[in-house]
Amino acid sequence: MSVNISCNYKPSNDSDGFTVELHSNSKLCSVMKSNKSWIKQSCKDHCRFVWIPETVQMSFEVSNLQINDTGTYKCVVTRLIPPPSQLLREEKTFVQVIVPPNVSVSHEGALGEFPTIVCRSEGFYPSALEQMWMRNGEFQNASLTYSINKTNPDGSFTLHSFLNTSDCVNYSCWVNHSTLSQPTILTLTPADCYENRDWYKENGWIVFVTSALFFLTILIIMIVCECSRKAHHKPPVRVNVTPGPDLQSHLEYDVYSLLGDHHPVPCSPVRLQSSL
């Protein structure tokens, strides 16, 4: 879309030389009038100067508007000839870029008796938007729904609202936005609901088997990883070393007690265990 920004200035003398500039956050376009002709000095690709000689009116057209083009635009007219330079006109215009929502409703995948339905309002600007559910023409309590809001890369907004249904009747999504002349209402009929339920009854086992195989695969991977971890961390092996008979016979010795009478106490060698 495009917008026309008027300068609201009519030159009174063709012999005057002056410049006309359009500014926003920076200079967007600049032209100069000299000897009854217009000379473009510098203009952005999406901006052009418009001169209507029949009505002696001048303006700027800004095309391909994006959301971030919202802001204040200023047209500045400055006389250069005859000198000295003089500011003739400064006109400010506020431009609000608005984008209507793209609204759709559908059934969300579910394995329950009745499906969850979702209403999507996408790509709208500004952010203020009303979105509510209706059952057989009556508004539903907001506590029965949950919503997801997000900001898109281009600065627009998206709102998804979900409603868990308990029967197959007329469910409608009601959306109102400042860009709409009247609220938008999209309805899911009972036929849509029954068709969705029949599909899941016929194909629900496919979803169940697929989910079971997925979790079984994850379980097998976890078991294999655990076995591999244990294989790389084996406990140390204990080796018992028992001296031979000849060694034992040479290791016999007497031990004397320091308590009471001193009588030798025979002592046999102790078997040694060594851990490697």
Side-chain angles (χ1 to χ4, degrees):
M1 299 181 65
S2 62
V3 63
N4 191 276
I5 301 174
S6 177
C7 294
N8 290 324
Y9 177 77
K10 296 183 178 181
S12 58
N13 190 339
D14 290 340
S15 63
D16 287 348
F18 55 88
T19 61
V20 184
E21 297 179 341
L22 181 66
H23 295 258
S24 182
N25 294 328
S26 60
K27 184 188 295 186
L28 299 178
C29 190
S30 176
V31 296
M32 182 175 66
K33 182 179 181 297
S34 178
N35 296 326
K36 299 184 180 181
S37 62
W38 292 95
I39 302 173
K40 183 173 71 174
Q41 294 181 312
S42 63
C43 286
K44 302 291 185 180
D45 293 338
H46 67 295
C47 184
R48 72 183 185 94
F49 177 71
V50 180
W51 167 250
I52 304 177
E54 293 79 10
T55 57
V56 196
Q57 290 180 326
M58 50 189 177
S59 60
F60 290 93
E61 182 185 55
V62 182
S63 60
N64 192 26
L65 287 171
Q66 304 298 315
I67 291 175
N68 55 12
D69 291 326
T70 295
T72 300
Y73 291 76
K74 181 171 62 176
C75 179
V76 180
V77 182
T78 305
R79 189 186 66 192
L80 301 178
I81 299 173
S85 61
Q86 179 183 0
L87 177 65
L88 301 177
R89 179 70 178 176
E90 184 176 291
E91 179 80 10
K92 293 182 179 180
T93 303
F94 179 77
V95 175
Q96 171 72 67
V97 179
I98 57 176
V99 185
N102 182 17
V103 183
S104 63
V105 293
S106 64
H107 290 95
E108 193 76 359
L111 294 178
E113 180 69 15
F114 295 98
T116 297
I117 54 179
V118 57
C119 180
R120 300 177 175 88
S121 295
E122 301 180 322
F124 58 89
Y125 188 88
S127 62
L129 178 137
E130 295 177 286
Q131 184 165 286
M132 292 180 285
W133 282 105
M134 303 173 67
R135 179 181 177 275
N136 286 337
E138 296 183 358
F139 287 105
Q140 295 291 283
N141 193 320
S143 62
L144 301 176
T145 69
Y146 65 96
S147 303
I148 298 177
N149 297 277
K150 70 174 183 177
T151 303
N152 302 315
D154 63 353
S156 64
F157 299 91
T158 289
L159 174 62
H160 291 179
S161 294
F162 299 83
L163 176 66
N164 294 321
T165 61
S166 59
D167 50 18
C168 285
V169 296
N170 286 321
Y171 284 97
S172 305
C173 180
W174 182 93
V175 176
N176 194 21
H177 190 252
S178 59
T179 60
L180 303 175
S181 58
Q182 60 183 7
T184 296
I185 301 176
L186 296 182
T187 302
L188 288 170
T189 65
D192 299 324
C193 175
Y194 284 116
E195 180 180 349
N196 185 76
R197 289 180 63 196
D198 292 340
W199 186 93
Y200 277 103
K201 286 181 179 179
E202 295 175 1
N203 301 277
W205 66 272
I206 298 177
V207 179
F208 175 79
V209 172
T210 303
S211 301
L213 289 176
F214 173 77
F215 287 111
L216 180 61
T217 302
I218 296 298
L219 180 61
I220 293 174
I221 293 174
M222 293 176 62
I223 293 174
V224 171
C225 292
E226 181 66 17
C227 292
S228 177
R229 186 186 67 81
K230 290 182 177 180
H232 286 81
H233 297 81
K234 293 182 178 179
V237 179
R238 301 179 64 86
V239 179
N240 294 331
V241 179
T242 304
D246 294 339
L247 178 61
Q248 293 181 15
S249 61
H250 291 85
L251 292 177
E252 293 182 353
Y253 52 91
D254 294 336
V255 177
Y256 289 86
S257 173
L258 298 179
L259 302 175
D261 298 334
H262 300 286
H263 299 289
V265 178
C267 179
S268 300
V270 179
R271 293 182 180 273
L272 302 178
Q273 292 184 343
S274 173
S275 297
L276 299 179

